[in-house]
Amino acid sequence: PSLGLKVVTAECDGFAGEVAHRWTGEFDDAVFALYDHRTNGVSLRRSIGSDIDLSRLAGAFDGGGHAAAAGCNIPSPTDGRAAVIAHKITDVLTRKHAK
């Protein structure tokens, strides 16, 4: 089912929170998943209009955090990493809202 939600993924070299903060004004209802090369982890943030609980989303990948900011590890290949992460996050969000 359509949640009207955008999943935005990217790779960065640190400063994941700052990258997501800059994008929050460009996307209404969005979840940002930023793979950080420094930590090899995924930083999750959400846009102001989103009510997705990122701590629960991160928990699906054995991570944690807060409702608006969380982190986790999502195994993904080097090639196409952002697309794989987006697909895995979309699968989790779709499963949780399909119930």
Side-chain angles (χ1 to χ4, degrees):
S2 174
L3 303 175
L5 178 71
K6 295 172 188 75
V7 176
V8 180
T9 58
E11 295 182 49
C12 60
D13 192 19
F15 309 105
E18 290 84 351
V19 171
H21 180 72
R22 288 197 105 170
W23 287 348
T24 57
E26 296 182 35
F27 297 91
D28 289 328
D29 194 7
V31 169
F32 304 102
L34 302 166
Y35 178 84
D36 187 340
H37 287 274
R38 290 185 183 183
T39 65
N40 296 317
V42 176
S43 178
L44 300 171
R45 300 291 191 274
R46 66 184 186 190
S47 64
I48 295 169
S50 177
D51 62 356
I52 297 293
D53 184 341
L54 298 178
S55 66
R56 293 185 66 192
L57 176 59
F61 301 101
D62 296 324
H66 303 279
C72 59
N73 290 309
I74 301 176
S76 55
T78 303
D79 292 337
R81 180 180 281 131
V84 169
I85 291 170
H87 182 75
K88 289 181 178 186
I89 287 173
T90 301
D91 283 350
V92 169
L93 290 171
T94 302
R95 268 196 322 265
K96 290 194 180 297
H97 284 82
K99 293 179 180 180

